Amino acid sequence: MPPGRPIVSDCGSESYGSAELLDHYLNPLAVLHPSYIKDTNDFVQKVQALTLPPTCLLFSMDVENLYTNIDTSKGLEAVRNVLTRNPVVGRPDKHILALLELNLTKNDFQFNKEWFLQVKGTAMGKRFSPAYANIYMAEWEEGALAQSPKKPITYLRYLDDIWGIWGDSREEFDLFLKTLNDQHPSINLTAQVSEREINFLDTTTFKGSEFNMTGKLDTRVFFKPTDTHALLHKQSFHPKHTFKGLIYSQLLRFERICTRSEDREEATRVLFKALRQRGYSRSFLRRVKLQAGKKTRGRET
């Protein structure tokens, strides 16, 4: 085995064109499962639509090394099943499966003057890998949830990251997690559970001060501890509007994620502190913030 986790670019390789073709056919099928999350905005909208009991638990789960742990036979079966369930006239299903098998079983690379052949999983650099992994996980979770005596109130997934709401005891959740981990030996999940808040993607979902009355979760921006906020330096050679657009896009992101104004202001404070260290003046930051606020209020009215 080569050391670490090999990540090899597929660009320009002899298989790139076939991987691109596979991605074209698999992508529309990868979004059809009920747990699908498109992005952070989609996730926040789904969370804000929920009304939950006061005693519920919040949880997140992560699949360890999903891409490289997908059993090839199971992955091909999952793709075959989703093609069968969603027929399209003229789509070359037989050739899609044959091409996918070639890409999964003939993926070799060179490291330190030695050649390696991938015998399990899918290469992280393949164009179709996210869609393929999504289809596999949709098949996996359908079987796993069917075997669970008790199920989450809400279960959402973004590729290998899972978020949900649990309505029973912590002991029952541990049993649920064990059921998921017993589904297939190559798929192992780690979980975080909390009565108050949980981090997921770039958000924190939490029970705010009004949760017991409304049953509605609040959301705020989550910055990972490793986030250095290494954004574009003000002295870099870019058009002037690029710097304004960068800040505006971040402020708009905070506006979409944060349900409380104090959390939005705190996220802005963290951002502006980092930008000050990268050459942005206080007056420029204040001006962009004021303009962004006007545009946001204009859309609301």
Side-chain angles (χ1 to χ4, degrees):
M1 289 289 290
R5 182 192 295 183
I7 300 177
V8 183
S9 172
D10 195 39
C11 294
S13 74
E14 70 279 3
S15 63
Y16 183 77
S18 62
E20 191 172 28
L21 181 64
L22 285 168
D23 186 60
H24 169 77
Y25 285 114
L26 296 185
N27 242 321
L29 300 169
V31 303
L32 300 179
H33 51 280
S35 64
Y36 174 71
I37 298 174
K38 180 181 179 181
D39 52 24
T40 296
N41 291 337
D42 183 39
F43 171 67
V44 170
Q45 290 175 9
K46 285 180 167 65
V47 169
Q48 292 176 353
L50 298 172
T51 301
L52 303 169
T55 57
C56 68
L57 299 174
L58 287 71
F59 70 86
S60 67
M61 295 189 287
D62 177 65
V63 184
E64 295 182 356
N65 303 325
L66 172 60
Y67 283 17
T68 52
N69 275 318
I70 299 175
D71 182 272
T72 299
S73 62
K74 292 289 186 181
L76 288 169
E77 182 183 356
V79 173
R80 184 180 297 108
N81 290 341
V82 77
L83 288 169
T84 302
R85 288 195 300 267
N86 301 275
V88 174
V89 176
R91 187 182 60 198
D93 292 3
K94 180 180 178 181
H95 297 89
I96 290 171
L97 289 167
L99 201 57
L100 178 59
E101 185 174 8
L102 279 173
N103 273 266
L104 293 173
T105 60
K106 307 298 181 185
N107 189 50
D108 56 2
F109 64 94
Q110 188 180 40
F111 176 79
N112 199 24
K113 297 183 180 179
E114 291 187 68
W115 283 94
F116 297 88
L117 176 69
Q118 185 168 11
V119 296
K120 186 180 181 182
T122 178
M124 297 182 68
K126 288 286 188 182
R127 181 77 176 267
F128 63 82
S129 289
Y132 171 70
N134 228 336
I135 291 170
Y136 172 79
M137 281 300 297
E139 181 99 348
W140 172 90
E141 69 194 9
E142 183 180 358
L145 292 173
Q147 293 184 21
S148 302
K150 293 189 176 180
K151 299 173 177 55
I153 296 174
T154 304
Y155 177 98
L156 301 172
R157 180 174 55 80
Y158 182 83
L159 278 178
D160 57 352
D161 292 316
I162 299 166
W163 179 93
I165 301 295
W166 187 255
D168 295 289
S169 66
R170 175 59 192 267
E171 291 73 21
E172 293 287 355
F173 176 82
D174 291 339
L175 179 61
F176 170 68
L177 178 61
K178 183 179 184 304
T179 302
L180 299 188
N181 280 328
D182 289 344
Q183 182 71 10
H184 195 280
S186 66
I187 299 299
N188 185 57
L189 293 92
T190 56
Q192 300 291 327
V193 187
S194 174
E195 295 181 357
R196 299 301 307 174
E197 67 177 43
I198 208 78
N199 300 322
F200 182 74
L201 302 179
D202 58 344
T203 74
T204 299
T205 52
F206 63 101
K207 298 178 182 179
S209 57
E210 298 181 358
F211 177 77
N212 287 339
M213 294 182 294
T214 64
K216 297 290 186 181
L217 292 173
D218 282 304
T219 55
R220 63 173 177 261
V221 175
F222 169 61
F223 296 112
K224 291 183 179 180
T226 54
D227 190 347
T228 59
H229 304 283
L231 300 169
L232 189 65
H233 199 283
K234 192 63 168 67
Q235 299 305 314
S236 62
F237 192 69
H238 283 77
K240 291 183 178 180
H241 69 268
T242 304
F243 305 103
K244 178 182 175 181
L246 180 151
I247 301 167
Y248 177 72
S249 65
Q250 290 298 306
L251 295 177
L252 180 60
R253 171 172 160 253
F254 299 163
E255 180 73 28
R256 289 172 173 169
I257 293 176
C258 297
T259 51
R260 304 192 309 175
S261 59
E262 55 264 41
D263 292 326
R264 189 161 53 250
E265 288 299 320
E266 174 60 18
T268 302
R269 186 193 67 78
V270 172
L271 172 67
F272 282 11
K273 180 180 179 181
L275 290 176
R276 286 282 296 124
Q277 296 173 355
R278 299 189 67 78
Y280 293 77
S281 68
R282 286 191 176 89
S283 59
F284 179 74
L285 295 173
R286 283 196 299 265
R287 186 163 64 251
V288 176
K289 181 182 178 183
L290 181 63
Q291 293 172 354
K294 288 180 178 179
K295 288 186 178 180
T296 302
R297 288 190 294 273
R299 283 198 306 270
E300 291 175 349
T301 56

